[in-house]
Amino acid sequence: TNALKAVTFNYNIDGGQNLIFNWTGNLAKCSAPLTISLPTLNVPAGNHLFTVFTSKPNGVDDTVPLNDTARSSFAVIAIVNGSVSEDFEENAFPPANWAVQNFDNNTTWARTTAAARTGAASMVINNFTYSLANTLDKFVSPRVVFGTVDSALVSFDYSYNLGAQFPGNSGLPVDTLEVALTTDCGITTTTIWKKWGADLQTQNNPNYPTNIAYIPTLTTQWRNERINITPMIQGVPDFQVYFIAKGNKQNNLYIDNINIIGKVLPERLKNQGYLIYPSPFSSSFRIHHLIPPIDLRSAQVYNAAGQLVWDKRFDGNSPTEVNVDLRNLARGVYILKMIYSDKIIVERMVKN
């Protein structure tokens, strides 16, 4: 009934010690909302509850105290130095350093032991039983700090089958999985991978919708994705990865074995363009090129007597890394010969 000229804000984190902020000003009845900035708080990483309530408006007791309190859940994202992996084998969910954004306070990402690509558990969002359409749920990584790396990638396994209402309609679109990257705590994001509908399903049969809740039972029902993020994280202090489910009551979506990996390549590999390791070796060694060697024609291994014991031919299709398996051969000295279109490189290898 009167202009508000003074009020006390009482607030706490997770029900802890109440802090006080006294406000003064002039807020007239039915005026525009006013934003109050409270002092900065240092809060540990994890999920928290912020509670604030007012008291003593204009220096007197409030006659209607029932509407004086507001609460809000929030998460503080941890900073992790180096690569990050999550396989959902621990019981706690969200896992340590990760967070879930559940915008409708309804069904959201959860841990499950009903299916897994490896181990005993994975993460699922139950679109099949989700009571709402056009939903948005995010699984948020910690803030990852790589420093200077030569390459970086995000990899994960996922499994999905179409729902009985596929292909949906303009009012009920298909389920979507999107992977996004942010360098500013989510103020802006860049989509790095996105699939929906028939492209998202991993049954290898886009014409196989089902009217039962999907649970993958075979490893062949899972798909692995690898996303190169190297150009997007160059020169940034840290970044996060969001796994975003956009659900429309179709069917269940599972994720397992999330890896966010940064690699620093050996200086010798960067300087000479290739690296042979390990040396000495016990059963096998790898030929690793800095870039795909399209001019590599063959890789051959000879024993000390000059006999050819291993031979691999290429036609511009050599991968960056080639595994040379000599486990069935005797210990001793071997000669590796790499034949390119314009040169031959010879390396001496020792098997222990």
Side-chain angles (χ1 to χ4, degrees), residues 10-166:
N10 310 265
Y11 59 99
N12 65 67
I13 305 294
D14 301 328
Q17 179 185 3
N18 268 334
L19 302 173
I20 303 297
F21 181 79
N22 291 309
W23 174 86
T24 58
N26 192 340
L27 187 63
K29 179 182 177 181
C30 297
S31 62
L34 183 66
T35 299
I36 305 298
S37 296
L38 299 176
T40 299
L41 289 174
N42 292 319
V43 183
N47 297 300
H48 300 281
L49 177 66
F50 174 73
T51 302
V52 58
F53 61 94
T54 58
S55 61
K56 296 294 182 181
N58 291 340
V60 298
D61 291 337
D62 194 337
T63 58
V64 186
L66 295 179
N67 62 354
D68 291 348
T69 303
R71 296 180 177 88
S72 180
S73 299
F74 69 98
V76 175
I77 302 299
I79 296 177
V80 175
N81 291 291
S83 298
V84 173
S85 296
E86 183 51 56
D87 58 11
F88 306 102
E89 294 304 301
E90 298 294 330
N91 290 331
F93 191 90
N97 302 328
W98 294 73
V100 170
Q101 292 183 346
N102 180 10
F103 296 97
D104 55 20
N105 293 315
N106 204 296
T107 300
T108 191
W109 290 111
R111 180 180 182 267
T112 180
T113 56
R117 174 61 182 84
T118 58
S122 64
M123 179 176 70
V124 65
I125 187 160
N126 289 303
N127 293 324
F128 188 82
T129 58
Y130 214 146
S131 60
L132 304 174
N134 296 313
T135 59
L136 181 68
D137 294 88
K138 299 181 180 182
F139 184 62
V140 184
S141 82
R143 291 168 59 191
V144 182
V145 177
F146 276 164
T148 301
V149 295
D150 295 300
S151 64
L153 65 87
V154 175
S155 71
F156 62 97
D157 298 318
Y158 81 93
S159 186
Y160 175 77
N161 196 21
L162 302 169
Q165 300 181 80
F166 178 81

Side-chain angles (χ1 to χ4, degrees), residues 3 36 110 120 148 157 171 179 183 199 208 237-238 261 284 303 307:
I36 305 298
T148 301
D157 298 318
V179 184
T183 60
D199 286 339
Y208 185 62
D238 60 73
I261 302 170
S284 64
N303 62 19
Q307 298 170 315

Side-chain angles (χ1 to χ4, degrees), residues 246-261:
K246 299 177 180 179
N248 281 284
K249 301 197 293 186
Q250 293 281 328
N251 220 322
N252 300 338
L253 170 64
Y254 298 80
I255 291 180
D256 202 0
N257 300 321
I258 297 174
N259 293 283
I260 306 172
I261 302 170

Side-chain angles (χ1 to χ4, degrees), residues 302-315:
Y302 297 84
N303 62 19
Q307 298 170 315
L308 180 65
V309 296
W310 188 91
D311 187 13
K312 183 75 172 179
R313 304 299 174 97
F314 305 100
D315 186 19

Side-chain angles (χ1 to χ4, degrees), residues 193-233:
W193 184 94
K194 187 176 183 179
K195 287 187 178 181
W196 60 90
D199 286 339
L200 183 63
Q201 63 86 29
T202 58
Q203 292 290 315
N204 299 317
N205 185 355
N207 298 313
Y208 185 62
T210 177
N211 59 0
I212 61 174
Y214 173 60
I215 301 176
T217 57
L218 304 172
T219 57
T220 54
Q221 295 171 316
W222 292 79
R223 185 179 299 162
N224 178 259
E225 296 289 343
R226 297 168 63 89
I227 310 162
N228 178 25
I229 60 171
T230 309
M232 286 164 270
I233 66 165

